Amino acid sequence: MMTFKKIEEAFVWIWLPQETDPVVAGRLEVDNGNIFFNYGKSYLDRIGKTKPAIAIYEPELPLQAGILPLREGLTMPGCIRDASPDAWGRRVIINKKLGLKGIETDTARLDELTYLLESGSDRIGALDFQRSPAEYVPRTANNVSLEELLESAKRVENGIPLTPELDQAMFHGSSIGGARPKALVQAKEKKYVAKFSSSTDLYSVVKAEFIAMRLAAVAGLNVAPVKLAKAGNKDVLLIERFDRMPRGNKWARKAMVSALTLFGLDDMMARYASYEMLAEIIRHRFTDPRQTLKELFGRLVFNILCGNTDDHARNHSAFWDGKSLSLTPAYDICPQGRTGHEASQAMRIVGDNNLSQLKTCLKTAPNFLLSEEEARETFGNLMTAIETHWNPVCEAAELNEVDKKFLWQRQFLNPYSIVQ
């Protein structure tokens, strides 16, 4: 069996607000299986200057000297783990380094710092990772065609080692999260996350996500813009990135943290995450908490109405500007496969209850500073929007009648879910 020497240190580089070039923030080091962070002196010396430093995320990594303690139960800072690839990106890296087969691959074969240092530099948020504290060398690929990316995705799924050309094509998107095939692409002054069909799909998952995202937007929720493209006669979903801002021929980056990091949890403890807990954090720490709570409640209700039960704590995020938090646009509203009527959300809604029903949302409305009347008004508005725009949005997606009937009242407006 091929083995690799574990990496013991890496340096964190950060794009400060509005800046287009990164600066080194500090060092990660492994100690007894845990990963600790230590701000660099040059970064701390920026405090109070014209272009000051910001904490990577407070309260987890406050701006202070010395090795910073980990939150209880964590093996590395959550805000650093947010920038690490998830299942899909790890499989791409393992394919690249080990040439191992795809879906069954044990992603524990490589250590966490290897994943940080081997994944592409255009990762979500404002961080990147380097072996050097003095020289920043981005790991990027040329902007390649969707056809090349689709071919790469197929090979990774099937466990076929990538050719050098396809390796470069796929590598660029290895730093983004999630379990499904995806990549990063750029077109003119916009950047996108491209999501591909999977060989295991039983229906058009790509079109279903497009429809859900579009319906959420027309219903008045704050959602990342999406569009459909074709590659190799396959559908590709393009989700516009909201963590990048063009500045001339460069890009500024917006720092982000996941709800999992806000909770102080890791993936092993994600079952304890809840909308109730997120609502409490919003009330105390977010800008414009009342409007943010109304938006999050709408997203919860819409997830239930469209059959998106994959609303785990990594699929909720906040922008972080060094002082305050604000909810990002929704970016991963994907109806999930469903056999029977009963379903449950990935995060608990109120108490231990995570049943995918509007009546569950009604119980938690006070946590979102909403009255029963306001909650029911949200239900009515979102259901009406789905019913009114269903046919036009399905037509825009060129969804066939078989898939349309498959999704309607199974994922979208399932009778079990709309019980009030």
Side-chain angles (χ1 to χ4, degrees):
M1 181 185 292
M2 189 183 299
T3 58
F4 284 86
K5 184 180 178 182
K6 290 192 174 183
I7 296 173
E8 297 297 325
E9 71 170 12
F11 294 91
V12 180
W13 290 66
I14 187 171
W15 277 255
L16 293 168
Q18 309 303 321
E19 297 298 316
T20 56
D21 293 305
V23 296
V24 66
R27 176 176 177 262
L28 294 169
E29 63 177 274
V30 179
D31 183 10
N32 198 27
N34 292 327
I35 298 175
F36 294 91
F37 179 74
N38 189 348
Y39 282 109
K41 183 178 183 303
S42 64
Y43 191 71
L44 293 175
D45 284 346
R46 298 173 65 94
I47 297 173
K49 303 291 174 58
T50 309
K51 294 180 180 178
I54 66 168
I56 293 176
Y57 170 60
E58 279 186 311
E60 186 173 49
L61 296 180
L63 277 175
Q64 60 190 51
I67 295 174
L68 299 174
L70 292 170
R71 283 181 162 183
E72 185 179 355
L74 299 188
T75 58
M76 68 184 297
C79 57
I80 300 296
R81 174 60 181 87
D82 283 342
S84 188
D86 281 340
W88 173 254
R90 290 171 189 241
R91 282 163 57 191
V92 172
I93 292 166
I94 284 176
N95 184 298
K96 176 186 175 185
K97 292 187 75 67
L98 305 177
L100 294 177
K101 60 183 180 180
I103 287 175
E104 298 87 18
T105 302
D106 178 11
T107 55
R109 291 286 298 277
L110 299 175
D111 62 280
E112 202 63 44
L113 290 191
T114 294
Y115 283 122
L116 290 174
L117 290 168
E118 292 289 338
S119 46
S121 290
D122 202 14
R123 68 190 73 242
I124 303 301
L127 301 180
D128 194 22
F129 306 90
Q130 299 279 307
R131 295 175 187 271
S132 168
E135 182 184 17
Y136 179 77
V137 181
R139 299 177 298 282
T140 58
N142 294 327
N143 206 29
V144 296
S145 71
L146 288 175
E147 284 77 11
E148 289 175 290
L149 292 169
L150 184 63
E151 176 62 25
S152 299
K154 280 184 193 171
R155 292 175 75 99
V156 170
E157 276 205 303
N158 294 328
I160 303 169
L162 296 171
T163 64
E165 296 77 19
L166 293 179
D167 180 27
Q168 276 298 97
M170 204 75 244
F171 170 71
H172 190 40
S174 61
S175 54
I176 50 182
R180 290 183 59 80
K182 58 178 66 69
L184 298 172
V185 296
Q186 181 176 336
K188 296 180 180 176
E189 288 195 348
K190 291 183 178 177
K191 292 195 173 198
Y192 299 91
V193 174
K195 289 189 174 181
F196 305 106
S197 304
S198 169
S199 58
T200 59
D201 290 346
L202 301 177
Y203 61 97
S204 182
V205 175
V206 165
K207 285 186 175 180
E209 184 168 358
F210 169 84
I211 290 165
M213 294 281 282
R214 274 285 172 89
L215 286 172
V218 298
L221 296 175
N222 181 15
V223 180
V226 293
K227 61 183 182 179
L228 282 172
K230 286 276 189 185
N233 209 30
K234 297 277 189 181
D235 295 304
V236 180
L237 178 67
L238 297 177
I239 305 171
E240 190 175 322
R241 293 183 65 173
F242 44 73
D243 62 332
R244 295 291 183 270
M245 298 165 290
R247 295 281 187 272
N249 62 350
K250 291 187 173 182
W251 297 84
R253 304 189 178 196
K254 299 188 78 168
M256 288 169 52
V257 289
S258 71
L260 202 61
T261 293
L262 298 179
F263 297 148
L265 301 174
D266 66 8
D267 293 285
M268 300 299 291
M269 300 186 284
R271 64 187 180 279
Y272 299 114
S274 73
Y275 280 96
E276 198 172 2
M277 192 188 310
L278 184 52
E280 183 177 359
I281 293 170
I282 287 170
R283 290 198 302 270
H284 291 98
R285 299 197 56 210
F286 275 59
T287 57
D288 199 1
R290 187 170 287 276
Q291 182 57 38
T292 303
L293 288 167
K294 183 180 179 182
E295 169 72 20
L296 182 63
F297 186 78
R299 293 185 193 184
L300 164 60
V301 172
F302 190 85
N303 282 335
I304 287 172
L305 293 177
C306 79
N308 175 32
T309 54
D310 192 35
D311 55 340
H312 57 78
R314 286 205 184 281
N315 280 342
H316 300 277
S317 291
F319 292 123
W320 164 251
D321 64 5
K323 296 179 181 176
S324 58
L325 295 160
S326 56
L327 202 62
T328 72
Y331 53 87
D332 204 336
I333 306 175
C334 186
Q336 302 297 303
R338 190 168 179 163
T339 49
H341 282 307
E342 290 189 15
S344 55
Q345 299 305 117
M347 291 208 311
R348 296 180 296 179
I349 298 170
V350 58
D352 291 329
N353 188 344
N354 67 341
L355 293 180
S356 306
Q357 294 186 299
L358 295 185
K359 67 180 182 181
T360 316
C361 298
L362 208 55
K363 292 176 183 175
T364 200
N367 292 311
F368 292 81
L369 306 182
L370 295 172
S371 66
E372 179 179 338
E373 182 182 359
E374 289 170 319
R376 290 189 184 278
E377 183 181 6
T378 299
F379 301 164
N381 290 343
L382 293 176
M383 290 170 70
T384 298
I386 291 171
E387 290 167 342
T388 302
H389 298 282
W390 172 253
N391 285 323
V393 172
C394 286
E395 285 176 22
E398 298 180 355
L399 189 70
N400 64 49
E401 285 300 317
V402 172
D403 278 351
K404 193 173 175 183
K405 287 177 181 176
F406 178 82
L407 292 171
W408 186 248
Q409 293 194 323
R410 182 173 296 176
Q411 275 84 349
F412 290 85
L413 301 188
N414 187 297
Y416 171 82
S417 295
I418 62 178
V419 173
Q420 300 181 44

